[in-house]
Amino acid sequence: MHKNITQIRDLDLIENELNTNVAGVLASIHGSDKIVQIATPFLYQDKNIYLFFSNEDEFFENIHFNDDVSFTIIKIGKTKKTKEMSFDPTYNFFSISVKGSVRNIDDNNLIEDLRLNYLKKYKKAAEGEIDFSVLNKIVIIDSEEIQAFEETGG
């Protein structure tokens, strides 16, 4: 078994992936050292990750604000052999991890802006009546560190 891991430092490439990827995994600590993860759609804006919850969302109710969290996306890539490889690859993926503290958003102007940008990303058109109840609670991961890697192996 072989694998090649390359750290990606191209901020334009990283931001493009964060803007186009549709879902990621939020990991946080709940209670006494219990790690909890949730897969969720997200919005990347101003170098931060925004997550949206409904009023009844149990995960939101258990978030410890100002604690450190991690958010990760993964994009599966095509496997192709390069001249530098001494093996035939069977997998390839690109991952981005964002680490930072999580805070609640309560600024009404910012909430409205984030909702509209979320609609642009996921709905593409704001036609008709929009039910914002699933976008009622918004949190920000105030990015402290963004790391990206490409891994090929087999």
Side-chain angles (χ1 to χ4, degrees):
M1 198 70 174
H2 300 281
K3 67 178 169 179
N4 291 340
I5 300 173
T6 305
Q7 185 168 16
I8 308 300
R9 299 187 187 278
D10 182 346
L11 187 58
D12 289 336
L13 175 62
I14 293 168
E15 288 188 327
N16 181 57
E17 288 302 324
L18 287 168
N19 282 319
T20 57
N21 203 300
V22 297
V25 176
L26 172 66
S28 67
I29 297 177
H30 289 202
S32 59
D33 298 331
K34 180 182 173 188
I35 297 175
V36 179
Q37 298 179 12
I38 184 172
T40 182
F42 68 98
L43 182 65
Y44 177 74
Q45 183 173 303
D46 301 325
K47 308 229 181 296
N48 297 304
I49 301 289
Y50 293 90
L51 306 172
F52 300 78
F53 300 93
S54 68
N55 283 336
E56 300 82 30
D57 197 302
E58 186 177 323
F59 192 91
F60 177 83
E61 297 303 322
N62 291 313
I63 293 175
H64 294 208
F65 293 110
N66 299 317
D67 280 1
D68 289 334
V69 297
S70 177
F71 186 80
T72 302
I73 66 164
I74 296 176
K75 177 184 178 185
I76 305 301
K78 294 182 180 177
T79 56
K80 55 186 172 192
K81 184 171 179 162
T82 64
K83 293 178 184 178
E84 299 84 30
M85 289 182 193
S86 61
F87 63 96
D88 289 325
T90 57
Y91 70 87
N92 174 272
F93 66 87
F94 182 77
S95 66
I96 301 172
S97 293
V98 178
K99 296 175 185 162
S101 59
V102 63
R103 294 190 330 248
N104 192 27
I105 300 293
D106 54 10
D107 177 303
N108 288 333
N109 291 332
L110 179 56
I111 289 171
E112 187 63 29
D113 181 51
L114 292 170
R115 284 177 175 165
L116 292 175
N117 288 336
Y118 185 93
L119 286 176
K120 287 178 189 172
K121 181 176 181 180
Y122 292 101
K123 190 170 171 47
K124 304 296 184 202
E127 297 171 359
E129 180 109 4
I130 306 292
D131 178 12
F132 284 116
S133 64
V134 295
L135 307 176
N136 225 19
K137 307 280 186 175
I138 305 174
V139 299
I140 179 177
I141 300 174
D142 193 2
S143 302
E144 296 169 8
E145 177 181 56
I146 298 176
Q147 289 190 328
F149 296 93
E150 182 173 27
E151 181 174 323
T152 303

